[in-house]
């Protein structure tokens, strides 16, 4: 199905099943411990052995020699694979560094060997006996030091490196009110609950991997490319994923080394990366240095806005696109954005929930507050006065839907923004200085082709098959809701099978594109199934109604089960997008409001209240969507107050590579979170009239926290995270 015109009334608009706050159909399995996660697939293949990955002990250099003798003789050891005996390997299209290092080392904890043994304990013990002699090289591990040598990166998923409209330099110089500030965000880790884990088994020249991967088609393709085998010889299965946040978008070392270990041991092999390797061996959100310049008239109208960002990555890595939102969020005739990429020898930087906007809005939305203060203007009012209904870089292109003003105004009224004292450090509640902060939320709506197969059987059950994944976002449920709505059956008459490369290729889970596009693919397949059923029954497909388990046309009605017959009916289709996304700018919007208390004596920060108001098209399942947004808000608090992968600039590693040293929010850190979705549909987006929302919820949260801390204390922190050492010696005197 080609989607080339705005959606009109269609079966989804009945909203009998779609749009309702439905509990997740996979919930019972997950809460009873019966959902099959990758490492726990004891049932899929017998005689599984265990692999233990050894990561490089240096951040840059080469392996001079590797001694496997003692490890090979250890009890239970079946095989040891290194770059020397792995055979010739390629590199996946989406991997910046080789997943198996040696002799050259690209970064700390790059996998250099895997030990395979009968038990996990035997593999781990034998791994300690491997002796590796390194020649340590000089690496670049400091973004600030490398920034002067940064280059202009090639165009990427986030667009060109530089954009310019009007005459930014002269307009900024002429502006009566100016802001010129520098901000930094640190390296951050995904820290998902489930580790990267895989089981691999060979059957002749065919390989099957049961793994934890967000993008099945990408993963299977890159695994085949890395192993230099045909893609049709690889099957990847990932029905349940215990968190990903972008860290499982791409092929990682656990998958490759399980496959290599299984080939060497001639046994199925399972591997789970130990937690320290998840921080250094896999990907992370890269640190940024950002400079923002804004010029405005005294009434608050922005006349010039410039946003520059520096980030670092390994060779062949991409830049963090932190300027993305600044190209679209606020009006202003004279504009400039620029990204620069420094060569670093740290582990690969890549996607982490809302890549680009999450980091960029941590800076931009503080800058907007700083500008408001210079103007003596309310921060909500400043954002509203600079709203735009057209793409500021391409004014001929309107937004398909843009309700940012309503998000801000409704949120301000709901949160009690009018009670905020604009003068910092003046409101106290017991020992706490209290402040409020606000930030806009923005994330683009990304359209990605997605396919599905639907089958109707003689029991009247509709089965959906697609390689779409569920990373905790509720994919099983919204896909089932879509099929139930389209075919006129109750939810319990729908079976959903996900995460298998034998199924039609979906959009996958990433970039906030999963929910809208995957359901649109199911919609397309269901349209084709409806047509096949109508044709079989001799109905006019345009007139046929599917409701209450029946197919009706005119004065005839036939039960779906009867229509299926003994052999059932199968249909497969995909949603493919035309040029609507070029004609209309498609984005999601929101507003975050935060209240904090800062202890007047210790400078400890307590988040007291949070509110998010989001406009993201039709919300297919408000219950699941709310869960995603409050989870994203929680991550935003972590980014603001605690998350920091600290770089050891001598040895090139993230030194706090475990969940003891890398702090994330816990229940005690997070208060009640209120969440409001505006009533909105977007017919430009897809037949579902929906958009993604799971990443919008993090965009701007950290800045709202930072702005609240400033309102409470009068201390402006521009370098995240906002920890005690950045406040203590500047705290106001409190009588």
């Amino acid at each position: 199905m080609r989607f080339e015109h705005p959606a009109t009334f269609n079966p989804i608009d009945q909203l009998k099943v779609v749009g309702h706050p439905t509990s997740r159909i996979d919930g019972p399995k997950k809460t009873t411990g019966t959902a099959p996660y990758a490492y726990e697939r004891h049932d899929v293949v017998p005689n599984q052995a265990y692999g233990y990955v050894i990561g490089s002990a240096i951040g840059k250099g080469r392996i001079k020699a590797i001694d496997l003798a003692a490890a090979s003789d250890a009890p239970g050891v079946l095989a040891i694979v290194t770059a020397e005996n792995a055979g010739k390997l390629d590199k996946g299209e989406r991997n910046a560094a080789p997943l198996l290092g040696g002799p050259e080392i690209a970064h700390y904890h790059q996998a250099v060997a895997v030990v395979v043994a009968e038990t996990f304990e035997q593999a781990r013990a034998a791994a300690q006996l491997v002796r590796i002699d390194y020649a340590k090289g000089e690496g670049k591990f400091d973004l600030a030091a490398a920034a002067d040598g940064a280059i202009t990166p090639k165009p990427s998923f986030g667009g060109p490196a530089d954009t310019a409209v009007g005459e930014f330099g002269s307009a900024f110089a002429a502006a009566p009110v100016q802001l010129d500030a520098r901000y930094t965000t640190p390296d951050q880790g995904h820290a998902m609950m489930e580790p990267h884990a895989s089981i691999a088994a060979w059957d002749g020249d065919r390989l099957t991997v049961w793994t934890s991967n967000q993008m099945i088609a990408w993963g299977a393709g890159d695994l085949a490319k890395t192993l230099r085998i045909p893609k049709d010889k690889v099957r990847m299965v990932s029905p349940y994923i215990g968190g990903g946040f972008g860290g499982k978008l791409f092929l990682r070392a656990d998958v490759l080394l399980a496959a290599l270990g299984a080939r060497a041991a001639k046994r199925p092999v399972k591997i789970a990366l130990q937690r320290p390797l998840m921080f250094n061996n896999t990907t992370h959100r890269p640190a940024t240095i950002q400079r923002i310049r804004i010029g405005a008239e005294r009434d608050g109208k922005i006349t010039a806005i410039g946003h520059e960002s520096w980030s670092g990555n390994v060779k062949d890595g991409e830049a963090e696109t932190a300027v993305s939102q600044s190209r679209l969020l606020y009006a202003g005739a004279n504009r400039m954005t620029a990204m620069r990429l420094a060569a670093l020898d740290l582990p690969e930087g890549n996607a982490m929930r809302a890549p680009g906007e999450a980091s960029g809005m941590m800076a931009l939305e503080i800058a907007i507050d700083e500008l408001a203060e210079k103007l003596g203007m309310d921060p909500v009012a400043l954002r509203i006065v600079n709203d735009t209904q057209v793409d500021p870089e391409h004014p001929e292109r309107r937004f398909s839907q843009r309700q940012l003003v309503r998000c801000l105004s409704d949120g301000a009224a709901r949160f009690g923004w009018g009670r905020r004292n604009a003068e910092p450090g003046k409101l106290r509640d017991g020992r706490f200085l209290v402040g409020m902060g606000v930030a806009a939320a923005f994330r683009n709506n990304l359209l990605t082709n997605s396919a599905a197969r639907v089958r109707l059987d003689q029991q009247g059950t509709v089965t959906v098959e697609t390689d779409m994944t569920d990373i905790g976002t509720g994919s099983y449920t919204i896909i089932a809701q879509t099929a139930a709505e389209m075919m006129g059956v109750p939810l319990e008459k729908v079976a959903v099978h996900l995460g298998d490369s034998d199924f039609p290729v979906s959009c996958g889970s990433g970039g906030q594109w999963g929910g809208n596009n995957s359901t649109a693919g199911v919609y397309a397949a269901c349209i084709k199934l409806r047509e096949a059923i109508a044709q079989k029954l001799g109905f006019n497909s345009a007139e046929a109604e599917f409701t209450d388990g029946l197919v009706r046309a005119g004065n005839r009605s036939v039960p779906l089960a009867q229509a299926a017959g003994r052999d059932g009916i199968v249909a497969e289709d995909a949603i493919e997008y035309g040029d609507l996304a070029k004609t209309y700018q498609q984005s999601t919007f929101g507003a975050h409001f935060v209240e904090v208390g800062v202890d007047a004596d210790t400078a400890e920060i307590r988040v007291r209240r949070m509110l998010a108001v989001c406009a993201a098209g039709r919300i297919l399942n408000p219950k699941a969507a709310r869960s995603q947004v409050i989870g994203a808000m929680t991550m935003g608090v972590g980014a603001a107050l605690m998350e920091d992968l600290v770089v050891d600039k001598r040895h090139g590693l993230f030194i706090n590579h475990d969940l003891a040293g890398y702090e994330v929010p816990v229940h005690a850190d997070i208060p009640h979170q209120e969440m409001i979705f505006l009533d909105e549909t977007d017919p430009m987006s897809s037949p579902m009239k929906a958009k993604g929302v799971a990443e919008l919820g993090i965009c701007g949260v950290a800045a709202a926290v930072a702005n609240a801390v400033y309102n409470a204390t009068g201390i402006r922190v521009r370098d995240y995270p906002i920890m005690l050492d950045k406040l203590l010696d500047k705290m106001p005197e409190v009588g």
Side-chain angles (χ1 to χ4, degrees):
M1 173 184 290
R2 185 129 178 112
F3 184 71
E4 297 182 295
H5 305 286
T8 55
F9 186 83
N10 65 56
I12 294 298
D13 294 310
Q14 300 173 106
L15 299 181
K16 294 179 179 179
V17 186
V18 167
H20 292 263
T22 306
S23 295
R24 281 164 48 171
I25 60 177
D26 52 316
K29 285 187 176 181
K30 290 182 175 177
T31 54
T32 58
T34 56
Y37 291 93
Y39 199 72
E40 302 161 352
R41 299 303 301 267
H42 310 292
D43 57 319
V44 292
V45 62
N47 203 26
Q48 297 173 17
Y50 292 79
Y52 192 89
V53 176
I54 300 173
S56 169
I58 62 171
K60 186 68 175 177
R62 63 191 312 276
I63 295 174
K64 293 168 60 178
I66 184 165
D67 183 355
L68 306 177
S72 297
D73 291 339
V77 171
L78 301 170
I80 303 176
V81 179
T82 70
E84 292 182 350
N85 61 11
K88 190 168 180 58
L89 300 175
D90 210 331
K91 188 173 73 170
E93 292 181 13
R94 298 166 185 85
N95 294 129
L99 298 180
L100 179 60
E104 299 301 320
I105 298 299
H107 60 81
Y108 187 84
H109 269 175
Q110 182 181 24
V112 294
V114 59
V115 178
V116 179
E118 294 285 356
T119 69
F120 168 77
E121 292 79 9
Q122 289 172 331
R124 181 179 58 184
Q128 312 309 312
L129 301 177
V130 174
R131 296 291 175 257
I132 304 176
D133 185 11
Y134 295 98
K136 188 176 179 181
E138 290 295 321
K140 295 180 179 179
F141 310 125
D142 186 342
L143 175 60
D148 287 343
I151 63 169
T152 302
K154 61 185 178 182
S156 67
F157 190 76
D162 297 356
T163 62
V165 176
E167 297 293 337
F168 168 76
S170 57
F172 179 73
V177 181
Q178 300 174 351
L179 172 78
D180 185 348
R182 174 189 178 276
Y183 307 87
T184 66
T185 65
D187 297 287
Q188 296 171 340
H190 301 86
M192 69 287 288
M193 288 179 65
E194 181 199 25
H196 293 72
S198 299
I199 298 171
W202 292 87
D203 182 4
D205 62 350
R206 299 185 64 84
L207 171 65
T208 301
V209 291
W210 296 266
T211 188
S212 188
N213 186 288
Q214 297 174 228
M215 302 290 293
I216 299 299
W218 290 4
D222 275 354
L223 180 57
K225 184 176 186 296
T226 305
L227 292 170
R228 302 167 69 91
I229 62 177
K231 185 177 178 180
D232 62 6
K233 299 292 187 183
V234 174
R235 181 186 176 203
M236 181 171 281
V237 184
S238 188
Y240 293 94
I241 300 170
F245 309 123
K248 295 174 181 173
L249 283 175
F250 315 112
L251 186 73
R252 301 313 312 168
D254 60 297
V255 190
L256 175 63
L257 295 186
L260 293 173
R263 187 164 65 184
K266 297 181 172 52
R267 289 261 300 273
V269 169
K270 62 168 43 177
I271 290 175
L273 294 185
Q274 53 269 41
R275 186 63 61 171
L277 260 68
M278 290 176 63
F279 288 99
N280 284 294
N281 175 275
T282 70
T283 59
H284 69 283
R285 190 198 303 283
T288 67
I289 300 168
Q290 302 179 51
R291 182 188 184 191
I292 296 179
R293 287 173 284 173
I294 308 176
E297 300 291 351
R298 297 202 179 276
D299 63 0
K301 291 286 185 69
I302 292 173
T303 57
I305 182 167
H307 190 167
E308 300 165 272
S309 175
W310 291 259
S311 60
N313 217 330
V314 295
K315 184 178 181 291
D316 296 332
E318 296 183 350
E320 178 74 355
T321 56
V323 304
S324 297
Q325 73 290 319
S326 299
R327 296 172 176 174
L328 290 161
L329 187 51
Y330 296 116
N334 303 285
R335 319 177 64 82
M336 177 273 293
T337 68
M339 293 183 286
R340 296 296 177 263
L341 179 62
L344 294 180
D345 299 304
L346 291 173
E348 179 186 351
N350 214 312
M352 180 171 160
R353 199 172 199 164
E357 288 94 340
S359 297
M361 296 194 75
M362 290 171 76
L364 177 66
E365 289 300 292
I366 293 182
I368 293 293
D369 257 49
E370 294 199 61
L371 179 64
E373 185 178 36
K374 283 177 173 285
L375 290 161
M377 193 172 182
D378 181 86
V380 171
L382 176 61
R383 289 171 169 86
I384 289 174
V385 81
N386 287 290
D387 185 50
T388 172
Q389 293 299 309
V390 299
D391 176 347
E393 291 190 350
H394 305 281
E396 72 282 359
R397 184 169 67 161
R398 295 189 63 81
F399 284 94
S400 60
Q401 294 282 345
R402 181 179 166 118
Q403 295 198 73
L404 175 60
V405 169
R406 189 177 161 201
C407 290
L408 288 162
S409 57
D410 286 11
R414 183 68 169 253
F415 199 68
W417 184 257
R419 300 193 301 271
R420 170 183 175 268
N421 191 328
E423 187 177 355
K426 296 302 181 183
L427 184 61
R428 184 160 181 172
D429 181 8
R431 73 176 194 271
F432 288 101
L433 296 165
V434 179
M436 293 186 192
V438 65
F442 172 91
R443 176 75 173 163
N444 275 329
N445 182 52
L446 304 175
L447 300 179
T448 309
N449 294 350
S450 192
R453 181 186 303 127
V454 287
R455 177 181 292 105
L456 175 67
D457 66 21
Q458 62 181 337
Q459 281 76 43
T461 297
V462 177
T463 299
V464 183
E465 296 174 338
T466 170
D467 81 351
M468 179 61 183
T469 52
D470 191 324
I471 59 175
T473 45
S475 300
Y476 279 100
T477 309
I478 59 170
I479 285 174
Q481 289 176 271
T482 302
E485 193 81 74
M486 292 296 295
M487 302 310 301
V489 299
L491 204 59
E492 57 268 21
K493 295 293 285 186
V494 178
V496 179
H497 302 298
L498 301 180
D500 191 326
S501 60
D502 282 353
F503 297 158
V505 176
S506 73
C507 58
S509 295
Q512 194 175 273
W513 63 60
N516 175 44
N517 295 299
S518 66
T519 53
V522 174
Y523 172 97
C526 286
I527 287 288
K528 186 166 280 191
L529 181 61
R530 287 163 61 109
E531 291 171 350
I533 293 169
Q535 183 178 15
K536 181 177 180 180
L537 296 175
F539 290 164
N540 182 335
S541 60
E543 298 176 357
E545 296 180 6
F546 291 70
T547 183
D548 300 325
L550 301 171
V551 190
R552 294 193 180 114
N555 58 1
R556 289 180 59 202
S557 68
V558 178
L560 267 183
Q562 181 180 327
R566 185 174 60 184
D567 297 329
I569 304 176
V570 181
E572 182 175 326
D573 204 356
I575 192 76
E576 297 178 355
Y577 294 97
D579 292 332
L580 280 176
K582 297 178 182 177
T583 307
Y584 295 90
Q585 173 59 41
Q586 297 189 24
S587 304
T588 61
F589 297 90
H592 291 290
F593 294 83
V594 173
E595 181 181 278
V596 303
V598 182
D599 191 295
D601 297 315
T602 68
E604 293 174 275
I605 300 168
R606 293 288 181 265
V607 179
R608 294 157 61 106
R609 291 191 296 139
M610 301 182 75
L611 167 67
V613 183
C614 296
R618 170 176 283 150
I619 303 302
L620 303 177
N621 183 343
K623 188 173 187 178
R626 177 186 180 276
S627 178
Q628 285 302 296
V629 172
I630 65 173
M633 293 162 69
T634 301
M635 291 184 74
V637 172
L641 300 180
M642 58 193 71
E643 293 191 45
D644 183 3
L645 277 175
V646 179
V647 180
D648 184 323
K649 296 173 184 176
R650 303 162 301 163
H651 303 298
L653 71 148
F654 299 126
I655 199 68
N656 54 334
H657 51 224
D658 55 39
L659 290 179
Y662 184 81
E663 296 187 13
V664 296
V666 297
H667 287 293
D669 298 310
I670 304 299
H672 174 71
Q673 298 162 302
E674 192 175 3
M675 162 80 256
I676 299 171
F677 291 114
L678 297 189
D679 185 16
E680 177 182 285
T681 58
D682 193 336
M684 308 299 176
S685 177
S686 79
M688 306 299 294
K689 303 173 186 173
K691 299 175 184 176
V693 74
E695 298 185 333
L696 179 68
I698 194 176
C699 297
V701 174
V705 174
N707 293 334
V709 169
Y710 175 74
N711 183 241
T713 64
I715 303 169
R716 179 64 73 185
V717 180
R718 300 187 181 96
D719 302 300
Y720 290 98
I722 306 168
M723 292 185 173
L724 303 186
D725 60 315
K726 296 169 185 173
L727 299 178
L728 268 173
D729 62 349
K730 304 179 187 71
M731 289 291 288
E733 294 289 335
V734 180

